[in-house]
Amino acid sequence: MKSLMDKCCDKCTHALDNPCKDYIKCRKEGPICHQDDACKEKRQKILAELHLAEDSQKRQILICAGTGCTSSGSGKLAESLKQELQNKGLSDQVEVKVTGCHGFCEQGPLMIVEPQKTFYTRVAAEDVPEVVEKHLIGGEIVERLLYKEPNTGETAPTYETVPFYAKQKRLVLHNCGHINPEVIDDYIANDGYAGFVKALFEMTPEEVIEDVKRSGLRGRGGAGFPTGMKWGFVRQAAGDKKYVVCNADEGDPGAFMDRSVLEGDPHAVIEGMAICAYAVGADEGYIYVRAEYPLAIERLKIAIAQAEERGILGNNIFNSGFNFKLKIKAGAGAFVCGEETALLTSIEGNRGMPRVRPPFPANKGLWDKPTNLNNVETYANVPYILRNGGAEYAKLGTEKSKGTKIFALTGKVNNTGLVEVPMGITMREIIFAIGGGIQNGMKFKAVQIGGPSGGCIPEELLDLPVDYDSLTAAGAMMGSGGLVVMDETTCMVDVARFFLTFTQAESCGKCTPCREGTKRMLEILTRICDGQGKLEDIENLERLGRVVKSTALCGLGQTCANPILSTLRYFKHEYLAHIEEKRCPAGVCTALLTYKIDPEKCKGCGKCAKGCPAGAITGEKKQPHVIDTTKCIKCGACITGCKFDAIYKA
Amino acid sequence: MAACKCGCEQHAVDPQQEALQKMLDGYKGQKGALIPVLQEAQEIYGYLPKEVMQQISKELNIPFSKIFGVATFYAQFHLKPRGRNIIRVCQGTACHVRGGAKVLEAISKKLGVGKNETTEDLRFTLETVACLGACGLAPVMMVNNDTHGRLTPDVAVSILEKYE
């Protein structure tokens, strides 16, 4: 018996054609059908290897293989580590485990040594000999690879002491980075599929729905509709054929939490969908994943195949009479397919255009059958709720927003990465306590939340508790939870234009308000950024925004004006500076800038003049140079070239 | 095996045509097959030639107009030949605020092609993407299936040399 999922002896009966009711329980607690101590011991031994005890002599090295760390070279790192361990004859005592995203992408590639929880950051293949020699053989920590707090310079020996992790509450992400997502044993050893088994054998579908309602879980896709209520609608809908669908078409620029969950813990999503299928009475499901996420698709395929092989998906699951099949559909690149009706029609093989609701998918969804559609993160919350009970889950969060939310913290913040926090935490805590403040000692200006559907939150609202309702009141929205931090070098008009460029390109064109409205609003914003803005533009933007918001067909159009309206609300002075003073305060809008040379700092090296493609810079050697603003094309080549910081934008 | 319609001998064992036919046979009668069929056809040919779409229309009994409509709606489908290496520069929010536009500009200048264009020698196709989901490493680009992060314009251009 090599794996947790193998038969312990001939008495073990579980097979696809003869599924065992106690299969999952048996793997964790030892054989239940035949109380054999020898078999039990075998299982416990394997479990102990999957989950090292604190005093274990063995070591596990967890290497992050999320997209972020992979691109910083974690694949090579894992290879050379395995090689080095073999050379030193340590392969038996040290296991190298490739895991999903640890969430702290800024510091990647990341490495954890278990059971000591030692946390190494930015580990390169060249560091491997030192880690093996010093830490694994000598038992001494390699100080220089530890995380160092940028402000205080203090090091943190374990991941639990790194401020980035210490202030989080990792509930959905608890497996991410700690298990091998390609090995089902790892998931089951960490209580995986226990919630599903509990639902199947101890609860009626109605009780499952009640429990989800009790948990207060709201849809994590953005709008925040109560999940239990949605499941109830699908359960009650007429028809014997029903579907469950998972929306993994995470297209929001600046959001990658769904990707990390799919890559790091795919079984959690599968388990959540299986529980949902049982609750609503469906026997077929689809996961609609972006084609831009090849690794997520790959890991899901492996996870589904492993679950099928063991009879966790398929017919007569665990001899309960319940059937559930799961398929993957790769999206083909259209942001609007994140909208539920567009997503469903795309699965059917059409152009992904939304339609009018009602009828809602709960009554008429995929192929006109009742369909439950939730986001990746929503499903990934469900196993925890079933395992621990809805009431336990509801202890976290605020009165109307329960549980935790994963945010993708990016932009001009020191610690970028995935952050899971209880609802109700303030934005300030996320950005400054967990995110470590603004990069390069700059000043905070705004945080953009919720992608193209969201808005910008200014400094004075940083103490706002983060939940669905307070964000909506502030003119933003949760969206999928992308947080992009902006400092004083970000132009808010340019940001609004950026999002409008995106929504305008992604509008499917079916309804006029969105098709025409986004185009006109983008034209106005472009004009303002180009220095051609007029005062009435502001009023027009506000009016257009309101009209599109209230008349567009689907969520894309209804929210596309949010970035404009929220920047107008909190940063009107920046718009006015562009229009009235023809000035971009952040120094971003090229048309409004002039490049100047500081004669004090200029050493007259001539590098800028040589690099200028327009021949706009002149000057004597060793004398301060000057820029002819009429010739300057504002490409910035001189700034990047100057060693003395003598050139600036004004 | 798919027979050649023009009657000449050489095309009779066209491996691409064979792969296409085999794939189409597998999808016959399945509902909702159009998008995966187009994805796999593009996988075989690198893009979607008109003749291929016509064949899909005939074999799956879907009007050509619908196939064309779907193929032009989604960003993933291409109706023109593409380069051996696909560069996708991320223009997501995080990349935007950390200088993604400058990276795109530098590559575009280096290759002498604009967005969604292919170099004459078919070595590179330059594309943009709304978000690659690797925002922690912004600015980011993908060349084929490799993600490269923490770019500067110079670094981005030098990375391209690795791809023949």
Side-chain angles (χ1 to χ4, degrees), chain A residues 396-418:
Chain A
L396 282 165
T398 64
E399 198 201 331
K400 285 186 175 162
S401 305
K402 299 291 184 197
T404 59
K405 172 81 190 104
I406 311 175
F407 292 101
L409 187 61
T410 61
K412 303 280 181 75
V413 63
N414 276 321
N415 301 332
T416 59
L418 277 194

Side-chain angles (χ1 to χ4, degrees), chain A residues 120-131:
Chain A
Y120 291 134
T121 58
R122 297 212 175 161
V123 190
E126 296 78 63
D127 299 324
V128 165
E130 192 182 343
V131 171

Side-chain angles (χ1 to χ4, degrees), chain A residues 125-162:
Chain A
E126 296 78 63
D127 299 324
V128 165
E130 192 182 343
V131 171
V132 172
E133 193 64 42
K134 208 168 164 189
H135 188 149
L136 299 175
I137 298 175
E140 214 181 307
I141 286 174
V142 185
E143 281 282 335
R144 66 178 180 90
L145 292 174
L146 292 177
Y147 173 75
K148 202 181 266 172
E149 185 63 21
N151 301 324
T152 59
E154 269 174 53
T155 54
T158 65
Y159 55 82
E160 284 170 343
T161 49
V162 173

Side-chain angles (χ1 to χ4, degrees), chain A residues 386-522:
Chain A
L386 265 284
R387 253 192 339 258
N388 301 295
E392 185 65 30
Y393 184 88
K395 286 181 186 161
L396 282 165
T398 64
E399 198 201 331
K400 285 186 175 162
S401 305
K402 299 291 184 197
T404 59
K405 172 81 190 104
I406 311 175
F407 292 101
L409 187 61
T410 61
K412 303 280 181 75
V413 63
N414 276 321
N415 301 332
T416 59
L418 277 194
V419 176
E420 184 174 352
V421 287
M423 294 272 192
I425 191 173
T426 64
M427 203 61 98
R428 193 182 294 281
E429 276 175 278
I430 298 178
I431 297 169
F432 290 91
I434 297 172
I438 311 300
Q439 277 184 339
N440 307 326
M442 296 288 238
K443 211 170 145 287
F444 172 86
K445 185 186 230 173
V447 54
Q448 208 280 344
I449 178 167
S453 319
C456 291
I457 290 174
E459 171 132 42
E460 55 268 31
L461 290 181
L462 272 184
D463 291 312
L464 185 85
V466 178
D467 64 43
Y468 290 99
D469 309 294
S470 63
L471 285 174
T472 312
M477 71 183 260
M478 188 76 84
S480 52
L483 288 180
V484 185
V485 178
M486 297 163 184
D487 65 9
E488 52 203 318
T489 61
T490 313
C491 168
M492 302 314 282
V493 189
D494 176 67
V495 167
R497 183 177 65 148
F498 168 77
F499 282 114
L500 248 285
T501 311
F502 179 78
T503 41
Q504 193 263 323
E506 294 293 342
S507 169
C508 79
K510 186 174 182 176
C511 75
T512 320
C514 178
R515 184 182 64 238
E516 300 293 325
T518 51
K519 217 172 168 73
R520 294 291 95 84
M521 288 190 284
L522 178 60

Side-chain angles (χ1 to χ4, degrees), chain B residues 2-3 5 11 14-22 44-45 55:
Chain B
K5 290 188 187 88
H11 291 161
D14 182 350
Q16 286 179 324
Q17 176 61 34
E18 205 177 348
L20 178 71
Q21 190 60 45
K22 204 173 146 208
I44 297 170
Y45 286 88
Q55 189 177 346

Side-chain angles (χ1 to χ4, degrees), chain A residues 174-236:
Chain A
H174 80 286
N175 275 337
C176 280
H178 295 281
I179 66 166
N180 184 337
E182 298 183 4
V183 179
I184 193 170
D185 305 29
D186 266 33
Y187 183 66
I188 288 174
N190 285 287
D191 299 326
Y193 291 109
F196 181 37
V197 170
K198 185 176 165 198
L200 274 184
F201 294 110
E202 293 170 28
M203 298 164 91
T204 62
E206 286 78 11
E207 281 168 349
V208 174
I209 293 175
E210 260 329 293
D211 208 28
V212 175
K213 277 187 186 164
R214 205 173 301 128
S215 75
L217 176 66
R218 292 169 71 171
R220 296 292 190 251
F225 191 80
T227 305
M229 207 192 275
K230 195 189 249 183
W231 290 17
F233 292 150
V234 182
R235 169 108 209 135
Q236 283 154 19

